[in-house]
Amino acid sequence: PMCIFQRLCYIAIVIVTTVGALHGPRGRGVTVYASLTLLAALIGAGIAGRQTWLQHMPEDQVPACGPGLEYMLESLPLADVIKQSLIGTGDCAVVTWRFLGLSMPAWVFAFAAVTE
């Protein structure tokens, strides 16, 4: 679930910047688009930072794996789904892919930091 929320943040950044570029705002409009982009980048960086932290925890301290996002959406209230997803579970600590020595959440964190 953390990966999905990171993707949603990047989609939000792309949408806001694209609409902003097409709209061509001036003055206060620029501040609004920049603020929305910054908000999405900060949220994405926070989630990616949390997942990167989980990936670097010792194996004996990693939280237990939880249910999948689909199951949580079907059985829990939305607020609980978001809370559980952002806390992270053991499956969020598994590194399945690396590029230049960094996991995908580490790359998301780096790009979100640059976007900010």
Side-chain angles (χ1 to χ4, degrees), residues 50-63 87 89 93:
R50 171 88 175 149
Q51 187 171 4
T52 302
W53 177 72
L54 285 170
Q55 290 177 342
H56 287 87
M57 290 181 82
E59 285 189 36
D60 62 332
Q61 295 179 8
V62 173
I87 289 172
T89 60

Side-chain angles (χ1 to χ4, degrees), residues 14-25 29 33:
V14 169
I15 290 171
V16 170
T17 55
T18 301
V19 170
L22 293 174
H23 181 227
Y33 285 115

Side-chain angles (χ1 to χ4, degrees), residues 80-105:
D80 290 344
V81 172
I82 293 171
K83 181 181 175 185
Q84 183 64 33
S85 297
L86 295 179
I87 289 172
T89 60
D91 56 343
C92 294
V94 176
V95 178
T96 58
W97 181 83
R98 290 187 186 272
F99 180 70
L100 298 177
L102 295 177
S103 66
M104 188 52 129

